[in-house]
């Protein structure tokens, strides 16, 4: 918005904004049909190499994508709770859990040592520029998605409450 | 109110759709995420006797909705924001409404092109980081264009140009930047075979802002560059970055002409059950904004990560640390250890230990040869890069132990000791003032303890409790807190907490801060209703902190996506 925009009557500018927004919404909603899958965004593995999120899924198997951060207590509780089911569940259903850390450059160096100290077996990736977070519409952490074998989101929760891991485990088993 | 109704309607529609993203007839996908916050304030004569903080509006509300459309190689998005007016504690620059973020991005083969708004970071962000933290009101998105080329043999090149967002306007300065990163592993097969990852990177960022000053000859172009190295081998990871900036007189540094320098290096070691981290850093005159006169969170070009932990328990979080961009030296050392499960010490589920030691101190600062010290229009000061300064800014030593005793009970105990320089961190006093009058420096020692427990109740219900205490003479004084959070079902959580500031130096402020909240979850939708007192706090992001005023009232927060 430059100095010329500031001179424009505010009401007019506002109307223009609303018009654009509504047009976009209408165009979008008119063509909606069904649900779909993972955005095409790359993430960083803990060894610093880049990878696509979709390449971490076992072909035709379900995947859990869990957004978390080292400073997010409920996220850690959730991943700890899932850890007790994970080995068996992976064997049984082929599910992969990818823990996407949204830690920024302040805390991202801690992710490796932190994960080691928790003893998790998950695939942990970093999303330092929040590209995946924005693309998947994640507002706050924890936010967990369950994708079926075709890569479609079938369940999600943007929080963790104790006991929720049992719900998630049951949802994964349904996909078997 | 009508706008709030629209947002609520959108949100309700969203919660009905269990699945994320909608596909159109052309195979494209639309996603949306919506956030809304509203507060109704109550006049509280105990908390705020003179009514200084009581807003004229009595009710404040804000919200935003982000839409992203993706089809094949194309992605487009926009965010509509609305502040009628911004809630207390949010930067007051957010006033009004409009589409503040819109972009189109095209990925084709090696190239990734964005026009419009974008977020980007070079290396650790020492010379460039455009990012957002919506919850805190931080958004320095670029408006311009970006090209990323992912070339063979592990080489990535980036180029950016544009201006940064400052609330509903843009920064005065233009930013141009370029970055190159080379992942050697992809070029040298031997390294890949050995499992040795080496990354080299370099960035250059320049800002252009005309300068008119009757006394100072202000540089219109300010260049800054950085080099970085990363290495990874069998659980050992090293990262180091050095940055330099030419003379850049600005509000933060008191308009001095000294060049800036920044260095951050981190080494970590990780294997299952053990993680170790060590960091050292030195920052010297490294405030970098695309507008030399900007303050607070405005027009920040870079981000210098603070050393120390980001505490989220309420009482330790009252003593936050922010990087001192005008100069600091610091280190951090962390150990995470898991005592294995099914051992005598570890118990059935294992026991987790965490130790963290972090410190930040001023850099060496001495007057120039002509005797001047920090004066506008001069080189400012002399500094020996290998010497510590004498002002302690912050120390944080904490130790935590957490253990799950059974499927019904787990607990965590953490003890902290902070050394908190109130003059520097809360009052914003600069080094020169403290060096000239060392007695004015107010440094507190604050011990704190947090005990968290979680009990499984019948019918899949859970009770979580927190008991917290923090001490310290002066400033906030002693505080005690208790919290109980009852998970009624997968969809409902009830929480009640009280903080009692029993040791506040001023007797009239030895008050309780009760807070009651109800949270409802339904798939991607979360609605939170709270009622109670909010303490005066300090919010810090990157290198900047801001004070959040005290308030009392009803708050509603809603988030959803579809």
């Amino acid at each position: 918005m430059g100095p010329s925009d500031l001179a424009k009557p505010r009401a007019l500018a506002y109307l223009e904004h609303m018009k654009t927004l509504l047009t976009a919404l209408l165009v979008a909603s008119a063509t909606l049909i069904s649900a779909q899958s993972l955005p095409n965004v790359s993430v960083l593995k803990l060894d610093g190499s880049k990878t696509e999120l979709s390449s971490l899924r076992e072909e035709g198997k379900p995947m859990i994508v869990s957004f978390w951060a080292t400073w997010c207590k409920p996220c850690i509780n959730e991943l700890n709770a899932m850890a007790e089911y994970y080995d068996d569940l992976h064997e049984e259903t082929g599910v992969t859990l990818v823990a996407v850390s949204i830690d920024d450059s302040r805390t991202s160096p801690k992710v490796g040592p932190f994960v080691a100290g928790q003893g998790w077996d998950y695939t942990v990736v970093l999303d330092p520029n929040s590209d995946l977070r924005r693309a998947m519409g994640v507002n706050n952490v924890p936010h967990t998605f369950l994708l079926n074998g075709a890569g479609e989101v079938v369940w999600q929760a943007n929080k963790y409450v104790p006991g929720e891991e049992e719900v998630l485990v049951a949802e994964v088993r349904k996909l078997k | 109110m009508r706008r709030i109704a629209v947002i609520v309607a959108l949100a309700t529609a969203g919660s009905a759709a269990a699945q994320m993203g909608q596909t159109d007839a052309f195979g494209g996908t639309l996603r949306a995420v919506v956030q809304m916050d509203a507060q109704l304030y109550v006049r509280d004569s105990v908390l705020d006797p003179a009514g200084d903080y009581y807003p004229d509006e009595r009710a404040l509300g804000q919200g935003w909705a982000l839409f992203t459309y993706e089809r094949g190689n194309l992605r487009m998005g926009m965010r509509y924001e609305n502040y009628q007016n911004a809630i207390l504690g949010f930067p007051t620059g957010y006033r009004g409404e409009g589409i503040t973020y819109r972009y189109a991005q095209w990925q084709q083969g090696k190239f990734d092109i964005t026009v419009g708004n974008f977020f980007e970071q070079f290396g650790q962000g020492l010379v460039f980081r455009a990012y957002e933290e919506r919850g805190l009101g931080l958004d320095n998105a670029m408006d311009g264009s970006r090209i990323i080329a992912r070339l063979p043999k592990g080489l990535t090149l980036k180029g950016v140009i544009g201006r940064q967002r400052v609330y509903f306007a843009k920064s005065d300065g233009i930013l141009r930047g370029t970055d190159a990163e080379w992942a050697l592993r992809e070029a040298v097969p031997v390294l890949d075979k050995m499992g040795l990852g080496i990354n080299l990177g370099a960035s250059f960022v320049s800002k252009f802002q005309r300068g008119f000053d009757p006394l100072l000859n202000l540089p219109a172009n300010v260049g800054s560059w950085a080099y970085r190295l990363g290495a990874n081998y069998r659980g050992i990871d090293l990262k180091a970055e050095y940055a330099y900036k030419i003379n850049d007189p600005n509000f933060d540094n008191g308009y001095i002409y000294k060049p800036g320098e920044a260095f951050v290096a981190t080494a970590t070691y990780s294997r299952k059950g053990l993680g170790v981290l060590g960091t050292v850093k030195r920052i010297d005159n490294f405030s970098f904004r695309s507008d030399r006169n900007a303050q607070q969170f405005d027009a920040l070009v870079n981000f210098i990560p603070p050393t120390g932990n980001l505490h989220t328990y309420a009482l330790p979080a009252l003593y936050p640390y922010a990087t001192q961009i005008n100069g600091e030296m610091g280190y951090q050392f962390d150990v995470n250890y898991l005592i294995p499960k099914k051992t005598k010490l570890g118990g059935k589920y294992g026991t987790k230990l965490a130790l963290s030691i972090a410190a930040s101190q001023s850099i060496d600062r001495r007057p120039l040869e002509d005797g001047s010290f920090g004066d506008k229009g001069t080189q400012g000061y002399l500094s020996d890069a290998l010497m510590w300064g004498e002002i302690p800014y912050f120390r944080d030593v904490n130790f935590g132990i957490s253990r799950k005793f059974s499927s019904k009970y787990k607990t965590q105990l953490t003890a902290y000791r902070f050394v908190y320089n109130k003059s520097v961190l809360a009052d914003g006093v600069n080094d020169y003032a403290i060096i000239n009058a060392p007695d004015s420096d107010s440094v507190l020692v604050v011990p704190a303890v947090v005990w968290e427990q979680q009990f499984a109740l019948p019918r899949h219900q859970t009770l979580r409790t927190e008991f917290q205490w923090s001490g310290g003479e002066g400033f906030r004084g002693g505080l005690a807190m208790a919290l109980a959070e009852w998970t009624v079902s997968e969809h409902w959580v009830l929480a009640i907490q009280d903080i009692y500031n029993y040791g506040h130096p001023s007797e009239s402020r030895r008050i309780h801060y009760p807070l009651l909240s109800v949270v409802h979850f339904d798939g991607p939708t979360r609605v939170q209703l709270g009622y109670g007192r909010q303490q005066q706090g300090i919010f810090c992001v990157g290198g900047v902190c801001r004070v959040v005023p005290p308030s009392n009232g009803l708050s509603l927060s809603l988030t959803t996506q579809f």
Side-chain angles (χ1 to χ4, degrees):
Chain A
M1 214 185 282
S4 61
D5 292 310
L6 292 175
K8 203 186 279 178
R10 214 164 123 148
L12 194 68
Y14 171 65
L15 272 177
E16 271 174 30
H17 286 314
M18 278 315 279
K19 217 164 71 187
T20 326
L21 176 72
L22 287 176
T23 316
L25 268 178
L26 279 174
V27 169
S29 55
T31 49
L32 298 181
I33 296 174
S34 67
Q36 83 91 74
S37 54
L38 284 177
N40 178 21
V41 174
S42 64
V43 288
L44 282 181
K45 288 206 270 193
L46 291 182
D47 67 5
S49 61
K50 284 194 185 74
T51 187
E52 295 280 318
L53 187 62
S54 50
S55 72
L56 299 172
R57 184 162 62 99
E58 283 183 27
E59 192 57 42
K61 303 287 187 196
M63 174 156 106
I64 300 166
V65 180
S66 185
F67 285 83
W68 72 289
T70 53
W71 42 261
C72 165
K73 193 77 185 136
C75 305
I76 294 157
N77 288 342
E78 173 171 28
L79 291 167
N80 276 329
M82 277 306 289
E84 279 161 37
Y85 295 91
Y86 188 57
D87 289 345
D88 292 342
L89 197 65
H90 174 74
E91 216 163 276
E92 194 186 322
T93 63
V95 69
T96 314
L97 195 159
V98 179
V100 182
S101 149
I102 63 157
D103 284 271
D104 65 16
S105 57
R106 169 175 192 176
T107 46
S108 63
K110 284 178 203 161
V111 172
F114 182 85
V115 168
Q118 299 293 321
W120 295 338
D121 291 321
Y122 311 131
T123 309
V124 178
V125 296
L126 303 173
D127 182 26
N129 197 32
S130 286
D131 291 330
L132 184 66
R133 178 185 178 186
R134 260 187 298 276
M136 290 190 74
V138 171
N139 188 2
N140 298 305
V141 284
H143 197 138
T144 303
F145 298 92
L146 173 63
L147 286 78
N148 64 15
E152 295 162 346
V153 175
V154 292
W155 181 90
Q156 64 172 308
N158 68 350
K159 50 73 159 91
Y160 170 71
V161 295
E164 193 172 274
E165 66 279 6
E166 291 168 28
V167 178
L168 178 55
V169 167
E171 290 290 331
V172 174
R173 290 208 168 109
K174 273 195 218 162
L175 297 175
K176 202 164 60 169
Chain B
M1 272 329 273
R2 207 184 61 220
R3 273 180 225 106
I4 291 176
V6 170
I7 293 170
V8 171
L10 281 175
T12 324
S15 68
Q19 286 162 327
M20 179 197 72
Q22 308 286 323
T23 308
D24 66 17
F26 312 105
T29 308
L30 179 76
R31 298 187 185 87
V33 47
V34 177
Q35 163 87 40
M36 190 204 95
D37 294 282
Q39 288 198 9
L40 184 68
Y41 298 91
V42 175
R43 179 79 179 83
D44 186 333
S45 56
V46 178
L47 188 69
D48 176 18
D52 297 333
Y53 301 109
Y54 186 59
D56 296 338
E57 295 93 335
R58 297 184 185 186
L60 294 169
Q62 61 187 44
W64 54 264
L66 170 71
F67 301 89
T68 307
Y69 178 78
E70 187 174 288
R71 185 183 155 209
N73 296 328
L74 178 72
R75 183 180 302 138
M76 297 189 294
M78 67 171 194
R79 189 191 320 105
Y80 172 73
E81 290 175 36
N82 192 319
Y83 305 88
Q84 310 296 343
N85 288 322
I87 56 174
L88 285 189
F90 224 69
T92 46
Y94 288 108
R95 184 174 274 267
E97 59 288 304
I99 292 171
T100 52
Y101 174 80
R102 71 279 177 277
Y103 70 96
Q105 182 180 12
W106 179 260
Q107 285 172 286
Q108 180 87 55
K110 301 178 181 71
F111 295 97
D112 178 340
I113 297 168
T114 307
V115 293
N117 298 104
F118 59 90
F119 296 100
E120 179 58 81
Q121 167 178 340
F122 293 167
Q124 291 184 65
L126 294 188
V127 292
F128 182 63
R129 183 170 184 231
Y131 71 118
E132 62 175 339
E133 213 35 83
R134 298 240 71 78
L136 301 178
L138 194 134
D139 183 344
N140 63 349
M142 289 282 280
D143 192 352
S145 54
R146 173 181 68 176
I147 300 181
I148 301 175
R150 295 190 179 89
L151 304 175
K153 306 275 180 202
L155 189 64
T156 305
L157 301 176
K158 292 177 185 173
V160 298
I161 187 161
R163 290 200 295 152
Q164 287 182 298
R165 175 179 182 188
V166 180
Y167 307 114
F168 281 95
K170 261 159 242 162
S171 167
D172 191 31
I174 299 171
L175 285 179
R176 294 80 47 106
T178 176
D179 182 78
E181 183 162 284
W182 188 25
L184 259 66
R185 197 174 172 160
E186 290 172 41
V188 186
V190 177
L191 293 180
D192 197 38
K193 210 174 273 177
M194 286 167 66
L196 174 62
I198 296 179
N199 288 304
L200 300 174
S203 354
F204 176 76
V205 175
S206 152
K207 72 163 171 183
F208 171 79
Q209 183 188 21
R210 274 179 229 285
F212 303 102
D213 191 283
L215 299 172
L216 303 177
N217 178 15
L218 296 170
N221 289 286
V222 173
S224 175
W225 49 92
Y227 310 101
R228 60 184 187 270
L229 163 77
N232 186 287
Y233 182 67
R234 294 191 178 184
I236 299 172
D237 192 86
L238 295 170
K239 270 190 189 69
E241 186 162 1
Y242 170 79
Y244 182 88
K245 182 163 64 78
I246 68 160
N247 66 76
D248 178 22
N250 59 47
F251 174 84
D252 289 323
N253 70 13
Y255 299 92
I256 61 168
Y257 281 74
K258 194 178 194 293
E261 283 183 289
F263 174 73
V264 181
T266 302
T268 65
Y269 172 71
S270 318
R271 67 167 166 80
K272 197 173 176 182
L274 175 69
V276 184
L277 171 142
T279 297
V280 289
K281 75 161 167 191
R282 181 176 185 276
I283 311 298
D284 183 352
N285 186 23
F286 220 76
S287 156
F288 194 14
R289 300 183 193 252
S290 55
D291 179 346
R292 65 174 75 82
N293 302 313
Q295 301 174 33
Q296 290 282 315
F297 291 175
D298 305 349
L300 289 162
V301 175
N302 66 344
F303 175 84
I304 298 170
T307 32
N309 295 295
L310 189 60
H311 295 298
T312 46
Y313 285 119
L315 297 189
L318 289 173
Y319 299 92
Y321 183 69
T323 307
Q324 299 301 301
I325 42 184
N326 286 327
E328 70 166 32
M329 283 175 88
Y331 63 84
Q332 180 170 4
F333 175 73
D334 283 4
V335 184
N336 289 284
Y337 181 66
L338 172 67
I339 306 175
K341 52 185 166 190
K342 292 170 188 142
T343 58
K344 205 171 172 187
L345 264 175
K348 186 178 170 193
Y349 299 93
T351 299
K352 287 163 191 162
L353 306 177
L355 170 73
S356 175
I357 300 167
S360 275
Q361 184 103 3
S362 64
I363 55 169
D364 171 49
R365 267 182 219 267
R366 276 166 291 125
L368 296 172
E369 274 134 23
D370 65 5
S372 71
F373 197 27
D375 293 346
K376 186 174 180 172
T378 68
Q379 287 286 314
Y381 55 92
L382 296 172
S383 178
D384 183 336
L386 298 175
M387 265 175 69
W388 292 86
E390 55 226 33
I391 307 164
Y393 291 151
F394 190 68
R395 305 250 151 90
D396 173 359
V397 178
N398 63 73
F399 176 73
I401 176 164
S402 78
R403 179 159 174 161
K404 182 170 175 177
F405 283 87
S406 72
S407 61
K408 301 238 178 312
Y409 179 71
K410 63 180 183 181
T411 183
Q412 176 167 354
L413 188 68
T414 315
Y416 309 78
R417 183 183 181 274
F418 300 111
V419 174
Y420 183 83
N421 191 322
K422 179 180 172 277
S423 305
V424 173
L425 300 171
D427 305 335
V429 179
N430 68 27
D431 281 14
Y432 309 116
I434 294 173
I435 292 169
N436 289 331
D439 292 343
S440 69
D441 193 17
S442 153
V443 180
L444 317 169
V445 175
V446 180
V449 181
V450 174
W451 182 28
E452 182 181 354
Q453 299 177 87
Q454 188 177 304
F455 309 85
L457 305 176
R459 281 178 292 161
H460 296 283
Q461 296 187 338
T462 318
L463 177 69
R464 195 176 67 82
T465 61
E466 283 176 20
F467 296 98
Q468 306 190 19
W469 170 83
S470 71
E473 300 289 317
F475 193 31
R476 296 177 184 285
L479 291 139
M481 169 179 160
L483 171 149
E485 185 188 277
W486 176 32
T487 306
V488 184
S489 75
E490 202 201 327
H491 299 289
W492 292 96
V493 175
L494 265 169
I496 182 160
Q497 72 170 59
D498 184 35
I499 298 175
Y500 180 34
N501 199 172
Y502 69 90
H504 198 282
S506 141
E507 205 159 324
S508 66
R509 298 208 25 208
R510 287 176 196 159
I511 56 174
H512 287 269
Y513 295 88
L515 193 64
L516 181 73
S517 40
V518 182
V519 196
H520 174 64
F521 304 103
D522 184 10
T525 305
R526 167 167 56 194
V527 185
Q528 182 161 357
L529 197 64
Y531 182 76
R533 273 185 187 153
Q534 203 67 48
Q535 208 174 172
Q536 181 155 12
I538 300 176
F539 252 142
C540 296
V541 179
V544 194
C545 293
R546 101 187 123 72
V547 174
V548 177
S551 66
N552 188 353
L554 187 72
S555 67
L556 171 72
S557 161
L558 185 152
T559 177
T560 191
Q561 66 152 231
F562 47 90

